Structures are given as structure tokens and as C-alpha cells.
Amino acid sequence: MAPHANAPDRGNSSFANGYIHDRIDSANGLTIDANNTPQYQSHLQPTELSEIHDLICVGFGPASLAIAVALHDGLDGENGDSNMPAMGVLGPKVAFLERQPRFAWHAGMLLEGAKMQISFVKDMATLRNPRSPFTFLNYLHVKNRLIQFTNLDTFLPQRIEFEDYLQWCAGWFDDVVHYSQEVLEIKPDTNNRGHHAIDSFSVISRNTTTGEVTTRCTRHVVIAAGGKPAIPQPFPSSHPRILHSSQYAYTSPQILTDKEAHYRVAVVGGGQSAAEIFSNLHTQYPNCQTRLIIRGASLKPSDDSPFVNEIFDPCRVDPFYSQPPSARALINSEHRTTNYGVVRLELLEHIYQTLYMQRVHHPHEEDWQHRIENNSTIVGVNADSSETIQLQVARRVESCYGEKEVATETQEYDVVIIATGYTRNSHEDILAPARYLMPGGDDPEKKWTVSRDYKVHFQEGLVSEDAGVFLQGCNEESHGLADSLLSILAIRGGEIVQSVFGGEKNTSHWNSKLGLNAGGL
């Protein structure tokens, strides 16, 4: 089955909890239609545009996918998660809005041979519900590769396989995901239902293909918009020959069209993505001249030792959140070498071997094809030409008397690739119409803050307890370094579902919708 199998036609089949009454393999979440074609169908059902939704997720990357999986498991009687709130036979009214035309995860960095940096056990479900059909092991079983994968003797699948796993999971939810929808803003609804507090929000999106603007009403919103490529000064924000690492895999072949050409390529950055691209260029373009420009004295290995790696355990979020901001900042600073500006050791050793063999074949440094330019800072960029980029690079030299700044050198390249990470502030723009609800009132310098359950703080009494906005992937300062990573997504997805649909205040509202008493389902 393709990663995005078409959802079954609801008009031709009888449904109960999202399953077709043809033939069901419940262990795999697999249905067989009348044509004997395997189909995958979640328990979530589409909601009419005119209806008030219970939950809308802005963005459908791994964070929102984990929420969708948790919702499915909460509705699943046989393989369900007993910790999920009961949601009855009608199911929640949910929708997922994604700007991209299809599900994709770091598509620009799906490089041949690149491996995951975390265990496959930290997939969309296992840490929360190992019986879920959405585990990576069940994906391997469905794909008929489970035994062969075990022979690899690894917990780190290749990135391209894990992306296929995520696409496979996403394909279950095609009925409730709306692709090519760019969310423009979220507005608190003017209350006309006799209550003082706001109890719903309007999510306004634009179809990136047709330009059509759509408004959906919902009680709860999760903003999981992901990161935007960070383009540092002095680089221009847009230039055809200056690429962010997130574009590398699919954009560089359009520019560097001749595999045998003697291109000059600079990679800027000292982290995992920069190192992967630097290494990949050597394979894809064997005659190109490459330079890896880094600020530090050398590339540094990531610390993924077991005791340090516990910083990413889901159980560490509670004690981290309970600390004062100064203590949180110190903890994050102490553990930055787990994730920022560092490279996995095996890749470092591979790059060192490549550079060493240059010394074997070319004793004279001027003949070296690949270089790492350390202690270097780009202080100027001349991007006036459409064919080449000129970089002004200042390099520091170390001496026993301290550092000395040398004269700036101008270097010319055919392509410059920037691997300088992401900014995670899209929610600030999306929530601009709601800033008057900030505690203490709006102030240009204020940033949104969240509670332990990721729910945005609003001025007390202005928003109903049965409504709210949640932020995902942008809470590193309050929830720790794992916030933008895969490590806690399965657990966090369940926490979001619990916060929206569980608890006394939400149970009463949810049961009243289903015509049930507040004592439980």
C-alpha cells in the first residue's frame, strides 16, 4: 500500500467508529474493500465546515499526527489506550489543516544513508500505548520487513524509512486532514450565546492552490506549525543560489544539474545538518569543491550517552516546568550539546577519514578539494549576481597570546547552503488577533506563555474553561529541549487529548453533547 492510500468511500459502505463493514484485520488497522484492496481508515470522521469543531490542529507534522493517533487509540475498543478519555460512539469533531500539499517530514534532508538520531521506540505511539496499530514495529509488520529489520541490529532506522512510516501513519487520517491550507490567523469569536467568556475560535485559512479563504469554528485549537528556516544576517532572505538546509535534497539538483561539474559549494553551520550535507556533496558531486564554514574551533560530537539522554524522557517535563525560568535556562544551556551545533560521532569519523585521504593523495594543501574553515564568521554577502555568490569571511587565529582577527577574505561560490536551524514563532503571527486576551493586556514586547498542559495563558475569566489554544514545538524555554523533537510526541499527544477531552470540566461538556450523564460513558 502506498503511504497515502485513498480513504474508503463513505458513500458506498456502512461505518461504525470509522471502519468499513467489509473485512477487518484489527491488529493492523487494515480493511479490505469489495475489490480486495487494502485500505487504512482511522476512527476519526470528517466534520462539516459549518459545524463547531471540538478541536482543530494547525499543521499536520509529527506533533499533530501524534494527537491524531492518540485520538484514534482513545476510540479503539480492542487496541485502545486505557488512559485516554472515553469519547463515545460519535467520536470528536476534529480537523487538521496543513500548508503543504501532502504529508512530508524534513523532505529536504532525506539524504541517502542518513539515519535517525533517536530510537524507533520513540515513534507516534509506543511509549504511550505499545498495543497501538501505529507503532513502528507494526508498520514494519504491515510492510513485511519486520524480520529483516531485526537483522540490521539497530534501533536507528534510516531517515527515509522513518519518513515513510510517518507518511503511512498520516495516510490513515486523510478524511480529516485538509492539505494546502495555510492558516492566516485565529480569532476569538464574539460571544453571542449569552455567556461572558469566549468559548470558541475562528480558524481562518487560505487554499494555497486556489486562493479560497475558509473559516472554521472550534472550541480548541492546537498550533503545531513547525519551524521556519532561519536565515541569519548578512544573507538575503531570498536568492536562487542561497539555500536553507531544509531545501537541499530537492532544490540542489535543480541548480547543480551536472554531477561531474567542478562546482564550488559552501555549507554554513556546525551541526548535524551541515555535516550531513557537506558529506553528501562529496558523494553526489565527486568533482565539486566544498567548504564547511563554522564559527567554532572544530566540529563537536553530540552527547547521546544514556544518562545525559534522559533529559529527553517524557517524565522530565514536569520537574523542568516546575523550575523558575533562570533554572530552566541553565538546564537547557548545560544540555545543548545533545542537540544544537553538534554532530553524531560516526559521521564525524567519516568526514575526518575523507579529509585524511586528501592528505594521502594530495600532499599540498592548495590541492585539497574539501576543507573545514573553522573560527570563521561571514561578515558580508554579495549576492548581486544570479550566477555566483561572494562571501566575505573573517577568520580568527588562535595564539598563546589570545585570538587575533585576520583580514577578511572574499570567496566565490556557485551555491551557498545555510544550515543554521529554525525559528519557532509562527504562533505569534497567527494569534495576533487574540493578543488583547493576554494576561495584563497586550504589550508589543510580550510573548505568549503556556501552562504545563501546553494551554495558552489568557486573562482570567475572558476565555471559557471549555475552550482554549495549545502550543506545540515552541515551548523549549518552559518545557525543555525535547519540546521540538520526536522524543516526547507519543506521550504529549495523549496529554493534549486528555486536556481537551478529559477532566471534570471537559467530561461534563463532552457527555452533554452525547446526551449522557456526567458520571462517565
Side-chain angles (χ1 to χ4, degrees):
M1 171 195 154
H4 277 285
N6 293 328
D9 184 354
R10 292 180 178 270
N12 298 326
S13 303
S14 174
F15 283 77
N17 286 343
Y19 276 93
I20 305 177
H21 288 302
D22 288 326
R23 179 158 57 88
I24 301 175
D25 175 359
S26 61
N28 295 328
L30 177 67
T31 62
I32 308 297
D33 67 12
N35 298 318
N36 206 39
T37 303
Q39 302 280 355
Y40 291 84
Q41 179 68 43
S42 81
H43 295 319
L44 304 179
Q45 299 188 34
T47 301
E48 292 293 333
L49 188 65
S50 59
E51 293 191 61
I52 297 180
H53 292 64
D54 299 302
L55 173 65
I56 290 178
C57 289
V58 177
F60 193 60
S64 289
L65 178 57
I67 294 172
V69 169
L71 283 167
H72 173 96
D73 285 355
L75 292 165
D76 194 333
E78 181 175 349
N79 299 300
D81 185 346
S82 60
N83 294 317
M84 289 293 96
M87 285 175 279
V89 296
L90 299 184
K93 294 180 179 180
V94 301
F96 300 85
L97 308 181
E98 170 55 47
R99 180 177 55 83
Q100 298 183 99
R102 62 178 184 85
F103 183 91
W105 176 70
H106 293 308
M109 286 299 295
L110 296 180
L111 308 183
E112 183 178 351
K115 291 185 177 182
M116 296 292 294
Q117 295 175 260
I118 65 170
S119 168
F120 69 79
V121 177
K122 297 180 177 182
D123 56 25
M124 294 292 98
T126 299
L127 296 183
R128 176 183 49 77
N129 177 22
R131 299 177 63 202
S132 170
F134 291 93
T135 67
F136 182 76
L137 288 180
N138 187 55
Y139 155 82
L140 290 174
H141 171 65
V142 170
K143 295 290 186 175
N144 198 30
R145 295 199 303 267
L146 180 57
I147 294 175
Q148 290 73 25
F149 183 85
T150 63
N151 292 334
L152 293 175
D153 193 26
T154 183
F155 279 87
L156 303 177
Q158 290 201 19
R159 196 177 295 152
I160 192 170
E161 181 176 32
F162 202 81
E163 204 247 2
D164 186 66
Y165 155 71
L166 293 174
Q167 286 190 356
W168 175 79
C169 291
W172 290 54
F173 300 98
D174 281 344
D175 277 2
V176 291
V177 181
H178 304 270
Y179 291 102
S180 300
Q181 289 290 326
E182 179 184 13
V183 173
L184 305 176
E185 57 185 2
I186 295 171
K187 292 182 176 180
D189 288 337
T190 302
N191 198 303
N192 59 4
R193 290 184 284 276
H195 302 289
H196 296 294
I198 291 166
D199 61 4
S200 65
F201 297 85
S202 289
V203 180
I204 302 169
S205 65
R206 178 176 57 216
N207 187 299
T208 58
T209 302
T210 66
E212 180 183 3
V213 175
T214 303
T215 299
R216 294 172 173 83
C217 183
T218 184
R219 290 185 173 84
H220 301 90
V221 187
V222 171
I223 302 178
K228 297 182 294 185
I231 308 296
Q233 294 292 338
F235 289 98
S237 59
S238 178
H239 190 281
R241 289 184 174 270
I242 300 177
L243 312 179
H244 188 265
S245 57
S246 60
Q247 304 170 294
Y248 172 71
Y250 53 85
T251 302
S252 59
Q254 301 172 17
I255 302 173
L256 307 175
T257 57
D258 185 353
K259 293 284 188 179
E260 303 301 320
H262 294 259
Y263 294 119
R264 298 160 299 174
V265 182
V267 182
V268 181
Q272 181 73 19
S273 294
E276 286 182 0
I277 292 172
F278 182 63
S279 180
N280 182 262
L281 285 166
H282 306 163
T283 302
Q284 297 298 315
Y285 303 95
N287 296 318
C288 76
Q289 181 187 87
T290 62
R291 299 291 181 266
L292 179 60
I293 302 174
I294 64 175
R295 288 178 178 268
S298 64
L299 293 175
K300 298 178 180 179
S302 57
D303 188 348
D304 58 357
S305 56
F307 289 108
V308 171
N309 209 42
E310 287 185 341
I311 193 68
F312 300 119
D313 289 357
C315 64
R316 298 291 288 270
V317 177
D318 274 338
F320 183 90
Y321 185 85
S322 67
Q323 297 292 319
S326 59
R328 295 174 188 167
L330 180 59
I331 294 171
N332 281 343
S333 176
E334 288 179 344
H335 290 88
R336 285 188 66 83
T337 55
T338 60
N339 190 52
Y340 292 107
V342 289
V343 184
R344 286 189 66 86
L345 182 58
E346 65 176 349
L347 179 56
L348 287 181
E349 292 172 340
H350 174 75
I351 291 174
Y352 194 90
Q353 175 73 15
T354 299
L355 299 184
Y356 175 79
M357 291 309 297
Q358 284 188 147
R359 296 175 180 269
V360 173
H361 296 296
H362 304 287
H364 302 294
E365 185 175 349
E366 60 268 20
D367 296 327
W368 293 352
Q369 189 177 349
H370 312 298
R371 298 172 187 264
I372 296 178
E373 298 197 359
N374 60 347
N375 295 320
S376 297
T377 303
I378 297 172
V379 295
V381 177
N382 183 346
D384 293 340
S385 170
S386 61
E387 298 298 322
T388 60
I389 304 295
Q390 290 184 334
L391 302 182
Q392 286 78 52
V393 181
R395 187 178 184 190
R396 305 182 308 277
V397 293
E398 305 283 348
S399 73
C400 58
Y401 301 105
E403 295 183 351
K404 178 182 179 182
E405 191 83 16
V406 299
T408 300
E409 176 187 3
T410 298
Q411 304 172 357
E412 190 170 72
Y413 296 99
D414 299 297
V415 170
V416 176
I417 301 165
I418 305 171
T420 50
Y422 300 84
T423 58
R424 302 184 182 277
N425 57 3
S426 297
H427 62 283
E428 296 288 350
D429 294 331
I430 294 174
L431 281 176
R435 288 186 65 86
Y436 73 94
L437 297 174
M438 280 185 158
D442 186 13
D443 184 296
E445 300 302 317
K446 275 188 180 180
K447 302 295 183 183
W448 291 103
T449 60
V450 295
S451 57
R452 168 60 185 89
D453 67 350
Y454 305 93
K455 194 172 186 178
V456 167
H457 289 131
F458 290 119
Q459 180 67 41
E460 186 175 356
L462 296 186
V463 177
S464 167
E465 290 187 352
D466 291 330
V469 177
F470 297 78
L471 301 183
Q472 300 282 268
C474 54
N475 304 307
E476 187 176 287
E477 292 182 1
S478 59
H479 287 69
L481 290 172
D483 188 70
S484 63
L485 307 178
L486 295 172
S487 298
I488 62 171
L489 290 192
I491 299 294
R492 191 174 73 189
E495 290 177 347
I496 294 295
V497 172
Q498 188 68 244
S499 185
V500 173
F501 298 104
E504 182 178 350
K505 68 180 188 303
N506 289 318
T507 300
S508 297
H509 166 75
W510 187 249
N511 289 343
S512 66
K513 284 183 59 184
L514 300 176
L516 303 171
N517 61 52
L521 298 179

